[in-house]
Amino acid sequence: MAEDPTGQALVLGFETSCDETGIGLVRGRTLLSDALATSMAEHERFGGVVPEIASRAHLEAMVPTVHRALADAGVTAGDVDAVAVTSGPGLTGALLVGVAAAKAYALALGVPLYGVNHLAAHVAVDELEHGRLAEPSIAMLVSGGHSSILLVPDLSQDVQELGRTIDDAAGEAFDKVARVLDLPFPGGPPIDREALAGDPRAIAFPRGLTGPRDAAYDFSFSGLKTAVARWVEAQQRDGVPVRVPDVAASFQEAVVDVLTAKAVRACRDHGVDHLVIGGGVAANSRLRAVAQERCDAAGIVLRVPSRRLCTDNGAMVAALGSRLVEAGVTPSDPDLGADSSLPITVVSR
Amino acid sequence: MLTLAIDTATPTLVVGVADGDRVLTEAAVPSGTRHAELLTPTVTAVLAEAGVALRDVGRFVVGLGPGPYTGLRVGIVTAAALGDVVGAPVHGVCSLDAVGTGPRVVLTDARRKEVYWAAYDGDRLTGPDVGRPEDLDLPDLPVVGDDRFAERLGRPVTAAEVTTAGLLRAVPGGDPAPLTPLYLRRPDAVPNITRKPVSR
Ligand SMILES: [Zn+2]
């Protein structure tokens, strides 16, 4: 095994919780490679990710994607010091392809294996670009599968959930509204694009769970999605052409307003002055801009990974694995499996 | 040459080590839907019992099903990854070929009240295929495999499972082909052709 002069572990990360087969290599906090295969094109016509199609694609992509990650990093499999894999939450069948592959690579390479939490990995990936996370930090994770606000006293072993969505995930709302507006799936990028030409104040869409007696850090996007659909239907009924950019901008503003207000409030309430935002929706340009404005006004340091690392990838798993190695966390048992609803409080298992 | 054989096409996880065609050690673990949890620990145990190091394995054999997809993929991706690191070829075989010997019909559980089946007389005559036991037009051969289907089939079924020896016998000659699972069914997916308003 080639000894790294810096003494830092080389970690190989596997991510297969949804439709992306992500394999990443990280040494310490340095990103070496981030190979990705996606089956998104096969899901488009269904308007959502089809689990069996995703699982089939993971199997096909697995070994070639590992090879690509190793080649891009300029290392060989024998150089790897530890393996990390998303063991939940996510789609069970999809997760299991990654877990089985990671277990086999770890066994054959004779290195420790870490089954990690996908959500914590979304936070950890920011360390690759912005250095060690301030602890405690508040983390907000927003994607097609999850929307939650976390208090992170210690990313390697202590993550607490302050709030989460009680119905749709933020990204899910983007997908559903995109469908109403006849925009492609996934809905985030086209809505972001349309909104650039629209007026965010054109339509006053509801802000869910923002009343004085509502849970401070929980989200609800189902009512917003329905409000958008009703508004579009009413326009169509009246024979008024729907101004897609205005609808997109107003919808996006409602989501972004609620997300950023609650994240900043979580920081203030807990006396925390660092906020990190991760997940696919963190690639949204309006979210990034409004979060920056509000954090600046509140004296909060905002950290958001570059767009490429916000969406699911293998580097985020390797990043968290690297953090666990560094912290001396006990590796996973050999009978590691997948847990589709792994709670965020379980960073590794 | 040492061979490590793996099959996860049925609720019984099978891992075996052979030297040539002599099976050294074999484990058949009734693991239900826990193949992913139990496969690598079983590989470790079987290798240890045979006194064989993984790096000394010269060939891998893996069942491509048909079988329940999630478990099937666990076995295939595991064999592919082990073969990748060790640098040894991985041969995929039809898992039904590895159940029983001689002229027979092999039948395993396909869930959804259906069975996977194939018929053999020396070579594989028919299959692998999937269907309801009541609807099958099977050749007049002894039936082996999952005996819980005897009643619905209306014929006796002799219980039999995948074996390491069976997996070894099933290896086709020549270079390994791509490890494509024998899915036999298309993915469940309802295409979203008509776009409907989402308000309730
Ligand atoms: Zn994610």
Side-chain angles (χ1 to χ4, degrees), chain A residues 45-46 50 52 55-56 59 67 96-97 100-101 103-105 107-109 180 182-183 222 226 229-230 233 334-336, chain B residues 36-37 40-41 44 54 69-70 73 77-78 81-82 84-85 181 183 185 187-192 195 197-200:
Chain A
R45 67 197 172 101
F46 301 111
V50 179
E52 177 60 21
S55 300
R56 291 185 181 195
L59 176 62
H67 287 182
L96 283 173
V97 178
K103 289 177 74 173
Y105 275 103
L107 171 66
L109 295 169
V180 169
D182 253 322
L183 297 171
S222 174
T226 306
R230 290 227 170 102
E233 279 168 36
D335 66 349
L336 176 72
Chain B
E37 287 88 334
T40 43
T44 305
L54 186 62
Y69 305 153
T70 298
R73 280 188 284 261
V77 85
T78 298
L82 295 177
D84 183 36
V85 174
Y183 285 122
R185 290 188 189 120
D188 284 333
V190 183
N192 175 45
R195 296 190 171 206
V198 292
S199 77
R200 287 163 293 185

Side-chain angles (χ1 to χ4, degrees), chain B residues 2-200:
Chain B
L2 293 171
T3 301
L4 180 72
I6 290 172
D7 187 87
T8 58
T10 72
T12 303
L13 179 69
V14 175
V15 178
V17 181
D19 187 357
D21 52 15
R22 189 169 58 94
V23 176
L24 302 178
T25 325
E26 178 175 34
V29 183
S31 76
T33 56
R34 302 188 69 233
H35 291 333
E37 287 88 334
L38 301 179
L39 178 51
T40 43
T42 305
V43 168
T44 305
V46 166
L47 288 170
E49 201 185 325
V52 167
L54 186 62
R55 66 174 173 278
D56 295 331
V57 171
R59 180 179 76 153
F60 293 82
V61 176
V62 65
L64 299 178
Y69 305 153
T70 298
L72 190 58
R73 280 188 284 261
V74 165
I76 295 170
V77 85
T78 298
L82 295 177
D84 183 36
V85 174
V86 173
V90 186
H91 296 267
V93 302
C94 172
S95 299
L96 299 177
D97 293 4
V99 181
T101 52
R104 67 201 186 280
V105 170
V106 174
L107 187 139
T108 62
D109 188 0
R111 299 190 186 158
R112 303 182 196 180
K113 301 185 174 170
E114 293 187 320
V115 291
Y116 295 118
W117 69 280
Y120 302 81
D121 191 359
D123 293 326
R124 196 185 322 136
L125 301 171
T126 325
D129 211 338
V130 61
R132 291 163 46 84
E134 295 83 357
D135 302 341
L136 301 182
D137 183 18
L138 299 180
D140 191 19
L141 293 168
V143 184
V144 305
D146 195 329
D147 58 0
R148 292 171 306 165
F149 291 97
E151 195 176 321
R152 289 181 55 203
L153 195 65
R155 284 169 63 172
V157 177
T158 306
E161 298 199 320
V162 172
T163 63
T164 301
L167 290 167
L168 297 178
R169 278 194 301 272
V171 177
D175 291 336
L179 300 174
T180 307
L182 296 163
Y183 285 122
L184 306 192
R185 290 188 189 120
R186 296 160 70 91
D188 284 333
V190 183
N192 175 45
I193 295 164
T194 50
R195 296 190 171 206
K196 283 180 285 193
V198 292
S199 77
R200 287 163 293 185

Side-chain angles (χ1 to χ4, degrees), chain A residues 57-115:
Chain A
H58 286 311
L59 176 62
E60 264 178 54
M62 184 55 64
V63 173
T65 310
V66 169
H67 287 182
R68 199 144 49 80
L70 291 168
D72 290 352
V75 300
T76 64
D79 298 330
V80 171
D81 298 307
V83 169
V85 60
T86 298
S87 72
L91 305 168
T92 302
L95 286 167
L96 283 173
V97 178
V99 168
K103 289 177 74 173
Y105 275 103
L107 171 66
L109 295 169
V111 300
L113 170 76
Y114 296 85

Side-chain angles (χ1 to χ4, degrees), chain A residues 118-195:
Chain A
H118 178 82
L119 303 183
H122 268 304
V123 180
V125 76
D126 190 64
E127 295 199 330
L128 301 178
E129 293 180 318
H130 301 123
R132 185 67 181 243
L133 196 73
E135 288 170 334
S137 276
I138 294 291
M140 180 167 69
L141 300 180
V142 276
S143 78
H146 32 81
S147 302
S148 44
I149 295 185
L150 314 173
L151 174 64
V152 187
D154 179 348
L155 185 55
S156 67
Q157 56 177 354
D158 185 7
V159 176
Q160 299 159 22
E161 185 174 70
L162 300 179
R164 66 192 309 174
T165 181
I166 60 166
D167 41 55
D168 293 350
E172 224 177 320
F174 274 86
D175 292 341
K176 288 175 176 171
V177 166
R179 194 186 304 182
V180 169
L181 297 177
D182 253 322
L183 297 171
F185 172 86
I191 286 182
D192 198 349
R193 223 163 23 240
E194 291 288 340

